[in-house]
Amino acid sequence: MAQPDSKKIFFENLSGAGKAIAVLTSGGDAQGMNAAVRAVVRMGLYVGAKVYFIHEGYQGMVDGGENIKEATWESVSSMLQVGGTVIGSARCKEFRSHEGRLKAAHNLVQHGITNLCVIGGDGSLTGANLFREEWSGLLTELVEQGSIEADAVQKYSALHIVGMVGSIDNDFCGTDMTIGTDSALHRIIEVVDAIMTTAQSHQRTFVLEVMGRHCGYLALVSALACGADWVLIPEMPPEDGWEDKMCQKLSANRAGMKRLNIIIVAEGAIDHKNKPITTDYVKDLVVKCLGFDTRVTILGHVQRGGTPSAFDRILASRMGVEAVLALLETTANTPACVVSLCGNQSVRLPLMECVQMTQEVQKAMDEKRFEEAVKLRGRSFENNLKTYKLLAHRKPESELPTSNFNVAVLNVGAPAAGMNAAVRSAVRVGISEGHKMFAVSDGFEGFYKGQIKEIKWADVGGWTGQGGSLLGTKRTLPAKYVDKIAEQMRENNINALLIIGGFEAFESLLQLCEARAAYEEFCIPMCMLPATISNNVPGTDLSIGADTALNAIVETCDRIKQSASGTKRRVFIIETMGGYCGYLASVGGLAAGADAAYIYEEPFDIRDLQANVEHLTEKMKTSIQRGLVLRNENCSENYTTDFIYQLYSEEGRGVFDSRKNVLGHMQQGGAPSPFDRNFGTKISAKAMQWITKKLVESFRKGRVFANTEDTCCLLGMRRRALVFQPVVQLKGDTDFVHRIPKEQWWLKLRPLMKILAKYKTSYDVSDSGQLEHVVRNRPRESDASVAM
């Protein structure tokens, strides 16, 4: 089901012939930088440009020689899954001097390079912008020295710069996520999950230090993702007397039968007097005041290492392609830009606007204007902080509002990682709003059987990191038992409903909405959160659980490809789940570096299969050793995984051999990724606040009555925004036979996967980023905060 072709601008219209693009990584390394380098190189070559590596960052640019090398298609093979940066990065004092930049300009002119793609932090990008501003003066100086010919000034008159931010700290204003942040969160959460098991065994308190000298993003989001008892970050110094409050909370949690305590400290954490708060200080405090067995763990550079996550690979690949697009479209009057992520969309922002706002954050913190610093960090950071406070710090019963509303929460459909985080968030936000929360076991099957009980604050402790569905979930739809469900709602006086699930949850909500005409019990606010690994729910770009499944696929593909290391040439045929939805196969293929991905939405025939085999055969005759082909489980009734495997085996005989692997339910299991934990937590909190608003609006004459379309909604991510959409309005967007939306945003990523696999194809750039300006305060409804 391809996207409509109207108003498309194809990439063939943007020729890179005669252009030379150089890519460098500067400053600290970050997982995903290699994926960005790979995307820049391959997209640059695809449009006919010459592409160069600059090894060792600005130091390599200054030193020249072998540090500046022309890149080939094969030179970026097998680097997608490698952490760090394979082209090297180095701090360079010499580039900060005029003489150093003069040498760098000379080296670039010698190779005809006037387009730079810089992957680094704000310091690296600021240096690039200064270099751009001085460029014409540097060339004039080189002519005067006799280092270059006079006509070179005209020929290479302008230097064009596009930046991508590679930093695990996520401390750059203007983008929701920087390359490497998600992978760093993976490392942190892996450690926290491991520590929690040993801490529970011994009833211990653990104090963890995570990176973030100037930015508390990693500490804050990891605290959200693991349900930490306390977090200390530089943007929110604790109030005087925080030590007593923290110890009181730890003591209360331990008294409530919680066997462990987790305290997360950003390395740059400070108090209100700008005095550093160290892990040793926190440990000594806990031991002295409470006598708890306490341990300190400093994660250090482990956060920077390891394989990049699926999110970082996809983000870096999309940004790399967008950077090449920006370089091709730039003119002499175009300011240097940085490619950013806003919600689920790439945007281009003036580099120096972002740098200036980033510097404003630090200035605000230095001047103790901490609330302003949090706002300057962006709506995503601000919402993370608000959500953490809402979930971690329970108000005394006397301070809670009393709404007298009963809200039920249930899971419907197949389990998805992150469901439990969403339930925990709903329960705690609901209690904070003054509601009585009820948990329904086993979906609508449990509902009609009366498996409904009140669920308290402490009951959901530790749920954030649990995979599957602790409430239990079934695929049963409510239509068949609607009278019994209405009876249970009446008996338990349920005033609102939160459904967390996949396509079955969507169908269930539609059925309940239609049942309003016959049963007043369903004339209440009802909201659905999309949670399915298939990501096949209409009305949302992303679903809870899909990121965890993608990471499982990518991790397995990495291992499978590695299994062929040192053997003869081999192609792997991998079957993914997803029903008729090709999201996992397509986006997983992009993240794993697949050569092809077969899906239902993009019909294919035997000629396409033959062309793919011939394409792989040609690649295998060069230095490529391994091929990867993904197949969605329901992409074709006849072209089965076995059929494709046998076809590749036969047609590739003498050049490569083939292996097949069906990933199965391993895609559905495991602990949720940091993304899914936080996405589930935040959209669930937003949904509960919406439910509260609707309950107040629909409460009349001592009862709740809500039967309008806008009181039965799905909360989904749409491009840059989290949007509440009436489910009845989504019916027309849905293919109910195949259980997929009629239009799916990720289909636009498929040509990108093909281009990076060396296919000639058309790439739709009508949705590419346009140069915008940094917005200090986006409207509340447009806070997607998809990144975390």
Side-chain angles (χ1 to χ4, degrees), residues 117-191:
C117 184
V118 181
I119 308 168
D122 61 333
S124 303
L125 299 180
T126 303
N129 190 64
L130 175 62
F131 190 39
R132 171 182 170 275
E133 289 174 348
E134 291 182 348
W135 181 257
S136 59
L138 293 171
L139 295 196
T140 302
E141 204 171 326
L142 288 170
V143 170
E144 290 170 356
Q145 291 178 359
S147 301
I148 60 173
E149 299 294 327
D151 63 349
V153 176
Q154 186 66 33
K155 190 176 180 181
Y156 306 116
S157 59
L159 178 67
H160 304 298
I161 304 282
V162 172
M164 285 183 275
V165 189
S167 166
I168 67 166
D169 290 340
N170 202 30
D171 57 353
F172 192 81
C173 293
T175 185
D176 285 351
M177 283 287 269
T178 56
I179 297 167
T181 304
D182 186 67
S183 300
L185 286 168
H186 272 259
R187 300 295 93 78
I188 294 168
I189 295 304
E190 284 165 11
V191 171

Side-chain angles (χ1 to χ4, degrees), residues 476-483 485 508 511-512:
T476 307
L477 298 179
K480 189 176 176 182
Y481 309 102
V482 69
D483 54 338
I485 293 169
S508 298
Q511 291 177 3
L512 294 183

Side-chain angles (χ1 to χ4, degrees), residues 409-415 419 423 438-453 463 469-478 481 485 499-500 504 508:
V409 58
L410 69 159
N411 295 336
V412 177
M419 275 183 164
V423 171
F438 288 83
V440 182
S441 300
D442 297 333
F444 283 106
E445 193 170 309
F447 212 140
Y448 85 80
K449 291 178 180 176
Q451 295 171 215
I452 306 167
K453 65 176 184 178
W463 280 35
S469 167
L470 293 173
L471 287 184
T473 182
K474 301 274 187 179
R475 294 182 182 272
T476 307
L477 298 179
Y481 309 102
I485 293 169
I499 304 171
I500 303 167
E504 290 89 353
S508 298

Side-chain angles (χ1 to χ4, degrees), residues 423-441:
V423 171
R424 170 185 176 268
S425 178
V427 169
R428 293 197 168 180
V429 173
I431 291 170
S432 296
E433 300 273 337
H435 309 318
K436 189 179 283 189
M437 299 299 298
F438 288 83
V440 182
S441 300

Side-chain angles (χ1 to χ4, degrees), residues 299-376:
L299 271 62
H301 280 73
V302 70
Q303 296 159 85
R304 263 193 167 139
T307 301
S309 66
F311 183 97
D312 271 330
R313 298 185 197 194
I314 297 159
L315 173 67
S317 297
R318 289 175 71 181
M319 282 187 167
V321 168
E322 189 68 35
V324 173
L325 273 170
L327 284 171
L328 291 182
E329 294 171 5
T330 194
T331 65
N333 299 321
T334 307
C337 75
V338 61
V339 178
S340 301
L341 179 75
C342 180
N344 189 33
Q345 189 175 17
S346 295
V347 296
R348 301 175 196 169
L349 297 169
L351 190 155
M352 289 315 295
E353 284 187 21
C354 297
V355 169
Q356 284 160 10
M357 186 170 286
T358 303
Q359 291 169 349
E360 280 184 43
V361 175
Q362 191 57 50
K363 185 181 177 185
M365 288 167 61
D366 291 342
E367 296 173 359
K368 301 184 181 180
R369 293 180 282 116
F370 297 109
E371 286 186 15
E372 187 180 341
V374 168
K375 289 188 184 303
L376 287 169

Side-chain angles (χ1 to χ4, degrees), residues 11 14-24 36-37 39-54 68-71 108 111-118 159-162 164 320-330:
F11 209 86
L14 296 166
S15 173
K19 291 200 173 188
I21 299 171
V23 58
L24 71 147
V37 170
V40 170
V41 168
R42 292 195 167 176
M43 185 56 97
L45 293 174
Y46 177 78
V47 298
K50 272 190 173 184
V51 186
Y52 291 86
F53 292 133
I54 298 179
I68 303 177
K69 288 183 181 177
E70 189 170 351
L108 293 187
H111 291 87
I113 297 168
T114 55
N115 296 278
L116 272 185
C117 184
V118 181
L159 178 67
H160 304 298
I161 304 282
V162 172
M164 285 183 275
V321 168
E322 189 68 35
V324 173
L325 273 170
L327 284 171
L328 291 182
E329 294 171 5
T330 194

